Amino acid sequence: ARKFFVGGNFKMNGSLKEIETIIERINEAKFDGEVELVVAPPALYLLKIQEELKPPAQVSAQNSYTEKSGAFTGEISPNQLKDANVHWVILGHSERRSLFGDTDKLVADKTKAAVEAGLGVIACIGESLQEREADQTQAVVERQLEAIANEISESEWKDIVIAYEPVWAIGTGKVASKEQAQEVHANIRQWLAKKVSQTVADQTRIIYGGSVNGKNSGDLATAADIDGFLVGGASLKPEFIDIVNSGK
Ligand code: 13P
């Protein structure tokens, strides 16, 4: 069985004080059953929040670079994250792809470097509205996945969580329906079975992101191939606890 996985992506939000208030709420919450929980504050706050966050919740970075060290002003290496005991990183988020030039190849190279450094990667994929309307959804997610699959070995997939985040659902309040998300998740799993292996297909968590909130998460979580969520806006709010508790 795949362990339910919920990530809170704070993006570039919050002061230290605001983030600490959110972390306190998470620390005080009661979580039902088995869930793997990670929160991703801005990089500046990672170490402080890591000290304050109670296990088993873990912190995650929102990005990392392809190289171990060197003249790459403004970047953080996966090896530095590992050194700082940060064990997760979000890569390929659509905001990085659309605003900061993260191409499929760059995302794949970053993923490879992160996995080699010993990190877990939340690898984000998803189509735009225009692509969905042109019936390109499957082609787009396969292209994004293929770039990653070309760089990593079968055994490295155990360190990857796939986050399907349709761009049209991110920050819009337009959550994918359970049927829409399930269809893509099932297709991703089939693709993994065909292109990587049946074991990888069976074991890889495929989580959904895009306007997940405390009201819609329970229904989405009942879909067979939805193994958790990557949450933006609602991860800053008290309802995040309900989302974490929505797993089966
Ligand atoms: P929202 O939950 O705010 O739609 O954002 C989703 C997201 O981008 C998580 O990475």
mmCIF file with all atom_site columns, all heavy atoms in Angstrom, residues 9 11 93 95 165 169-172 209-212 230-234, ligand 1:
data_model
loop_
_atom_site.group_PDB
_atom_site.id
_atom_site.type_symbol
_atom_site.label_atom_id
_atom_site.label_alt_id
_atom_site.label_comp_id
_atom_site.label_asym_id
_atom_site.label_entity_id
_atom_site.label_seq_id
_atom_site.pdbx_PDB_ins_code
_atom_site.Cartn_x
_atom_site.Cartn_y
_atom_site.Cartn_z
_atom_site.occupancy
_atom_site.B_iso_or_equiv
_atom_site.pdbx_formal_charge
_atom_site.auth_seq_id
_atom_site.auth_comp_id
_atom_site.auth_asym_id
_atom_site.auth_atom_id
_atom_site.pdbx_PDB_model_num
ATOM   1   N N   . ASN A 1 9   ? 2.995   23.601 0.326   1.00 0.00 ? 9   ASN A N   1
ATOM   2   C CA  . ASN A 1 9   ? 3.929   24.470 -0.387  1.00 0.00 ? 9   ASN A CA  1
ATOM   3   C C   . ASN A 1 9   ? 3.584   25.918 -0.051  1.00 0.00 ? 9   ASN A C   1
ATOM   4   O O   . ASN A 1 9   ? 2.600   26.457 -0.554  1.00 0.00 ? 9   ASN A O   1
ATOM   5   C CB  . ASN A 1 9   ? 3.801   24.208 -1.894  1.00 0.00 ? 9   ASN A CB  1
ATOM   6   C CG  . ASN A 1 9   ? 4.685   25.122 -2.719  1.00 0.00 ? 9   ASN A CG  1
ATOM   7   O OD1 . ASN A 1 9   ? 5.503   25.877 -2.183  1.00 0.00 ? 9   ASN A OD1 1
ATOM   8   N ND2 . ASN A 1 9   ? 4.518   25.070 -4.036  1.00 0.00 ? 9   ASN A ND2 1
ATOM   9   N N   . LYS A 1 11  ? 5.135   28.490 -0.872  1.00 0.00 ? 11  LYS A N   1
ATOM   10  C CA  . LYS A 1 11  ? 5.583   29.410 -1.939  1.00 0.00 ? 11  LYS A CA  1
ATOM   11  C C   . LYS A 1 11  ? 6.306   30.600 -1.299  1.00 0.00 ? 11  LYS A C   1
ATOM   12  O O   . LYS A 1 11  ? 6.954   30.408 -0.273  1.00 0.00 ? 11  LYS A O   1
ATOM   13  C CB  . LYS A 1 11  ? 4.395   29.819 -2.814  1.00 0.00 ? 11  LYS A CB  1
ATOM   14  C CG  . LYS A 1 11  ? 3.599   28.585 -3.301  1.00 0.00 ? 11  LYS A CG  1
ATOM   15  C CD  . LYS A 1 11  ? 2.587   28.876 -4.364  1.00 0.00 ? 11  LYS A CD  1
ATOM   16  C CE  . LYS A 1 11  ? 1.876   27.579 -4.759  1.00 0.00 ? 11  LYS A CE  1
ATOM   17  N NZ  . LYS A 1 11  ? 0.924   27.765 -5.860  1.00 0.00 ? 11  LYS A NZ  1
ATOM   18  N N   . HIS A 1 93  ? 7.933   22.744 -10.202 1.00 0.00 ? 93  HIS A N   1
ATOM   19  C CA  . HIS A 1 93  ? 6.641   23.402 -9.992  1.00 0.00 ? 93  HIS A CA  1
ATOM   20  C C   . HIS A 1 93  ? 6.311   24.294 -11.195 1.00 0.00 ? 93  HIS A C   1
ATOM   21  O O   . HIS A 1 93  ? 7.203   24.886 -11.790 1.00 0.00 ? 93  HIS A O   1
ATOM   22  C CB  . HIS A 1 93  ? 6.672   24.228 -8.707  1.00 0.00 ? 93  HIS A CB  1
ATOM   23  C CG  . HIS A 1 93  ? 5.316   24.680 -8.297  1.00 0.00 ? 93  HIS A CG  1
ATOM   24  N ND1 . HIS A 1 93  ? 4.689   25.757 -8.870  1.00 0.00 ? 93  HIS A ND1 1
ATOM   25  C CD2 . HIS A 1 93  ? 4.430   24.152 -7.411  1.00 0.00 ? 93  HIS A CD2 1
ATOM   26  C CE1 . HIS A 1 93  ? 3.477   25.878 -8.344  1.00 0.00 ? 93  HIS A CE1 1
ATOM   27  N NE2 . HIS A 1 93  ? 3.297   24.925 -7.459  1.00 0.00 ? 93  HIS A NE2 1
ATOM   28  N N   . GLU A 1 95  ? 5.162   27.131 -11.447 1.00 0.00 ? 95  GLU A N   1
ATOM   29  C CA  . GLU A 1 95  ? 5.626   28.526 -11.330 1.00 0.00 ? 95  GLU A CA  1
ATOM   30  C C   . GLU A 1 95  ? 7.102   28.633 -11.693 1.00 0.00 ? 95  GLU A C   1
ATOM   31  O O   . GLU A 1 95  ? 7.539   29.617 -12.295 1.00 0.00 ? 95  GLU A O   1
ATOM   32  C CB  . GLU A 1 95  ? 5.335   29.050 -9.912  1.00 0.00 ? 95  GLU A CB  1
ATOM   33  C CG  . GLU A 1 95  ? 3.839   29.265 -9.716  1.00 0.00 ? 95  GLU A CG  1
ATOM   34  C CD  . GLU A 1 95  ? 3.328   29.000 -8.313  1.00 0.00 ? 95  GLU A CD  1
ATOM   35  O OE1 . GLU A 1 95  ? 4.116   29.024 -7.352  1.00 0.00 ? 95  GLU A OE1 1
ATOM   36  O OE2 . GLU A 1 95  ? 2.101   28.765 -8.188  1.00 0.00 ? 95  GLU A OE2 1
ATOM   37  N N   . GLU A 1 165 ? -0.218  18.537 -10.998 1.00 0.00 ? 165 GLU A N   1
ATOM   38  C CA  . GLU A 1 165 ? -0.807  19.841 -10.708 1.00 0.00 ? 165 GLU A CA  1
ATOM   39  C C   . GLU A 1 165 ? -1.198  20.516 -12.014 1.00 0.00 ? 165 GLU A C   1
ATOM   40  O O   . GLU A 1 165 ? -0.361  21.178 -12.647 1.00 0.00 ? 165 GLU A O   1
ATOM   41  C CB  . GLU A 1 165 ? 0.205   20.730 -9.969  1.00 0.00 ? 165 GLU A CB  1
ATOM   42  C CG  . GLU A 1 165 ? 0.671   20.194 -8.633  1.00 0.00 ? 165 GLU A CG  1
ATOM   43  C CD  . GLU A 1 165 ? 1.105   21.324 -7.699  1.00 0.00 ? 165 GLU A CD  1
ATOM   44  O OE1 . GLU A 1 165 ? 2.019   22.087 -8.040  1.00 0.00 ? 165 GLU A OE1 1
ATOM   45  O OE2 . GLU A 1 165 ? 0.498   21.442 -6.636  1.00 0.00 ? 165 GLU A OE2 1
ATOM   46  N N   . ALA A 1 169 ? -5.648  24.762 -12.414 1.00 0.00 ? 169 ALA A N   1
ATOM   47  C CA  . ALA A 1 169 ? -6.257  24.558 -11.096 1.00 0.00 ? 169 ALA A CA  1
ATOM   48  C C   . ALA A 1 169 ? -5.448  25.221 -9.982  1.00 0.00 ? 169 ALA A C   1
ATOM   49  O O   . ALA A 1 169 ? -5.905  25.307 -8.842  1.00 0.00 ? 169 ALA A O   1
ATOM   50  C CB  . ALA A 1 169 ? -6.395  23.059 -10.814 1.00 0.00 ? 169 ALA A CB  1
ATOM   51  N N   . ILE A 1 170 ? -4.251  25.695 -10.306 1.00 0.00 ? 170 ILE A N   1
ATOM   52  C CA  . ILE A 1 170 ? -3.363  26.228 -9.270  1.00 0.00 ? 170 ILE A CA  1
ATOM   53  C C   . ILE A 1 170 ? -3.746  27.664 -8.919  1.00 0.00 ? 170 ILE A C   1
ATOM   54  O O   . ILE A 1 170 ? -3.692  28.548 -9.778  1.00 0.00 ? 170 ILE A O   1
ATOM   55  C CB  . ILE A 1 170 ? -1.887  26.159 -9.725  1.00 0.00 ? 170 ILE A CB  1
ATOM   56  C CG1 . ILE A 1 170 ? -1.457  24.695 -9.883  1.00 0.00 ? 170 ILE A CG1 1
ATOM   57  C CG2 . ILE A 1 170 ? -0.990  26.879 -8.729  1.00 0.00 ? 170 ILE A CG2 1
ATOM   58  C CD1 . ILE A 1 170 ? -0.032  24.523 -10.387 1.00 0.00 ? 170 ILE A CD1 1
ATOM   59  N N   . GLY A 1 171 ? -4.161  27.850 -7.683  1.00 0.00 ? 171 GLY A N   1
ATOM   60  C CA  . GLY A 1 171 ? -4.462  29.191 -7.187  1.00 0.00 ? 171 GLY A CA  1
ATOM   61  C C   . GLY A 1 171 ? -5.685  29.833 -7.816  1.00 0.00 ? 171 GLY A C   1
ATOM   62  O O   . GLY A 1 171 ? -5.876  31.040 -7.717  1.00 0.00 ? 171 GLY A O   1
ATOM   63  N N   . THR A 1 172 ? -6.509  29.028 -8.486  1.00 0.00 ? 172 THR A N   1
ATOM   64  C CA  . THR A 1 172 ? -7.661  29.580 -9.203  1.00 0.00 ? 172 THR A CA  1
ATOM   65  C C   . THR A 1 172 ? -8.984  29.298 -8.508  1.00 0.00 ? 172 THR A C   1
ATOM   66  O O   . THR A 1 172 ? -10.010 29.869 -8.880  1.00 0.00 ? 172 THR A O   1
ATOM   67  C CB  . THR A 1 172 ? -7.760  28.965 -10.609 1.00 0.00 ? 172 THR A CB  1
ATOM   68  O OG1 . THR A 1 172 ? -7.856  27.535 -10.478 1.00 0.00 ? 172 THR A OG1 1
ATOM   69  C CG2 . THR A 1 172 ? -6.542  29.295 -11.455 1.00 0.00 ? 172 THR A CG2 1
ATOM   70  N N   . GLY A 1 209 ? -2.386  18.326 -6.905  1.00 0.00 ? 209 GLY A N   1
ATOM   71  C CA  . GLY A 1 209 ? -2.317  19.707 -6.417  1.00 0.00 ? 209 GLY A CA  1
ATOM   72  C C   . GLY A 1 209 ? -3.091  20.650 -7.322  1.00 0.00 ? 209 GLY A C   1
ATOM   73  O O   . GLY A 1 209 ? -3.139  20.448 -8.547  1.00 0.00 ? 209 GLY A O   1
ATOM   74  N N   . GLY A 1 210 ? -3.663  21.669 -6.735  1.00 0.00 ? 210 GLY A N   1
ATOM   75  C CA  . GLY A 1 210 ? -4.423  22.672 -7.484  1.00 0.00 ? 210 GLY A CA  1
ATOM   76  C C   . GLY A 1 210 ? -5.754  22.930 -6.811  1.00 0.00 ? 210 GLY A C   1
ATOM   77  O O   . GLY A 1 210 ? -6.687  22.164 -6.961  1.00 0.00 ? 210 GLY A O   1
ATOM   78  N N   . SER A 1 211 ? -5.804  24.025 -6.005  1.00 0.00 ? 211 SER A N   1
ATOM   79  C CA  . SER A 1 211 ? -7.039  24.432 -5.320  1.00 0.00 ? 211 SER A CA  1
ATOM   80  C C   . SER A 1 211 ? -7.619  23.359 -4.396  1.00 0.00 ? 211 SER A C   1
ATOM   81  O O   . SER A 1 211 ? -8.834  23.272 -4.229  1.00 0.00 ? 211 SER A O   1
ATOM   82  C CB  . SER A 1 211 ? -8.089  24.910 -6.335  1.00 0.00 ? 211 SER A CB  1
ATOM   83  O OG  . SER A 1 211 ? -7.618  26.073 -7.000  1.00 0.00 ? 211 SER A OG  1
ATOM   84  N N   . VAL A 1 212 ? -6.727  22.566 -3.802  1.00 0.00 ? 212 VAL A N   1
ATOM   85  C CA  . VAL A 1 212 ? -7.188  21.614 -2.781  1.00 0.00 ? 212 VAL A CA  1
ATOM   86  C C   . VAL A 1 212 ? -7.517  22.405 -1.518  1.00 0.00 ? 212 VAL A C   1
ATOM   87  O O   . VAL A 1 212 ? -6.776  23.312 -1.127  1.00 0.00 ? 212 VAL A O   1
ATOM   88  C CB  . VAL A 1 212 ? -6.098  20.559 -2.475  1.00 0.00 ? 212 VAL A CB  1
ATOM   89  C CG1 . VAL A 1 212 ? -6.516  19.667 -1.309  1.00 0.00 ? 212 VAL A CG1 1
ATOM   90  C CG2 . VAL A 1 212 ? -5.797  19.723 -3.707  1.00 0.00 ? 212 VAL A CG2 1
ATOM   91  N N   . LEU A 1 230 ? -0.602  18.052 -2.875  1.00 0.00 ? 230 LEU A N   1
ATOM   92  C CA  . LEU A 1 230 ? 0.357   19.145 -2.718  1.00 0.00 ? 230 LEU A CA  1
ATOM   93  C C   . LEU A 1 230 ? -0.493  20.415 -2.651  1.00 0.00 ? 230 LEU A C   1
ATOM   94  O O   . LEU A 1 230 ? -1.230  20.734 -3.586  1.00 0.00 ? 230 LEU A O   1
ATOM   95  C CB  . LEU A 1 230 ? 1.352   19.191 -3.892  1.00 0.00 ? 230 LEU A CB  1
ATOM   96  C CG  . LEU A 1 230 ? 2.504   20.192 -3.736  1.00 0.00 ? 230 LEU A CG  1
ATOM   97  C CD1 . LEU A 1 230 ? 3.303   19.942 -2.455  1.00 0.00 ? 230 LEU A CD1 1
ATOM   98  C CD2 . LEU A 1 230 ? 3.438   20.138 -4.942  1.00 0.00 ? 230 LEU A CD2 1
ATOM   99  N N   . VAL A 1 231 ? -0.399  21.085 -1.523  1.00 0.00 ? 231 VAL A N   1
ATOM   100 C CA  . VAL A 1 231 ? -1.341  22.150 -1.196  1.00 0.00 ? 231 VAL A CA  1
ATOM   101 C C   . VAL A 1 231 ? -0.622  23.492 -1.147  1.00 0.00 ? 231 VAL A C   1
ATOM   102 O O   . VAL A 1 231 ? 0.415   23.618 -0.491  1.00 0.00 ? 231 VAL A O   1
ATOM   103 C CB  . VAL A 1 231 ? -1.980  21.868 0.185   1.00 0.00 ? 231 VAL A CB  1
ATOM   104 C CG1 . VAL A 1 231 ? -3.084  22.876 0.478   1.00 0.00 ? 231 VAL A CG1 1
ATOM   105 C CG2 . VAL A 1 231 ? -2.512  20.437 0.255   1.00 0.00 ? 231 VAL A CG2 1
ATOM   106 N N   . GLY A 1 232 ? -1.158  24.479 -1.848  1.00 0.00 ? 232 GLY A N   1
ATOM   107 C CA  . GLY A 1 232 ? -0.592  25.825 -1.814  1.00 0.00 ? 232 GLY A CA  1
ATOM   108 C C   . GLY A 1 232 ? -1.319  26.668 -0.774  1.00 0.00 ? 232 GLY A C   1
ATOM   109 O O   . GLY A 1 232 ? -1.090  26.535 0.431   1.00 0.00 ? 232 GLY A O   1
ATOM   110 N N   . GLY A 1 233 ? -2.211  27.512 -1.250  1.00 0.00 ? 233 GLY A N   1
ATOM   111 C CA  . GLY A 1 233 ? -2.907  28.482 -0.392  1.00 0.00 ? 233 GLY A CA  1
ATOM   112 C C   . GLY A 1 233 ? -3.455  27.913 0.909   1.00 0.00 ? 233 GLY A C   1
ATOM   113 O O   . GLY A 1 233 ? -3.248  28.493 1.993   1.00 0.00 ? 233 GLY A O   1
ATOM   114 N N   . ALA A 1 234 ? -4.135  26.764 0.806   1.00 0.00 ? 234 ALA A N   1
ATOM   115 C CA  . ALA A 1 234 ? -4.785  26.210 2.002   1.00 0.00 ? 234 ALA A CA  1
ATOM   116 C C   . ALA A 1 234 ? -3.785  25.645 3.011   1.00 0.00 ? 234 ALA A C   1
ATOM   117 O O   . ALA A 1 234 ? -4.148  25.380 4.166   1.00 0.00 ? 234 ALA A O   1
ATOM   118 C CB  . ALA A 1 234 ? -5.799  25.132 1.604   1.00 0.00 ? 234 ALA A CB  1
HETATM 119 P P1  . 13P B 2 .   ? -3.052  26.085 -4.594  1.00 0.00 ? 1   13P B P1  1
HETATM 120 O O1  . 13P B 2 .   ? -3.357  25.003 -3.584  1.00 0.00 ? 1   13P B O1  1
HETATM 121 O O2  . 13P B 2 .   ? -2.929  27.445 -3.968  1.00 0.00 ? 1   13P B O2  1
HETATM 122 O O3  . 13P B 2 .   ? -3.962  26.039 -5.772  1.00 0.00 ? 1   13P B O3  1
HETATM 123 O O4  . 13P B 2 .   ? -1.581  25.773 -5.150  1.00 0.00 ? 1   13P B O4  1
HETATM 124 C C1  . 13P B 2 .   ? -1.258  24.476 -5.518  1.00 0.00 ? 1   13P B C1  1
HETATM 125 C C2  . 13P B 2 .   ? 0.199   24.402 -5.693  1.00 0.00 ? 1   13P B C2  1
HETATM 126 O O5  . 13P B 2 .   ? 0.764   25.027 -6.564  1.00 0.00 ? 1   13P B O5  1
HETATM 127 C C3  . 13P B 2 .   ? 0.958   23.561 -4.749  1.00 0.00 ? 1   13P B C3  1
HETATM 128 O O6  . 13P B 2 .   ? 2.261   23.398 -5.177  1.00 0.00 ? 1   13P B O6  1
#
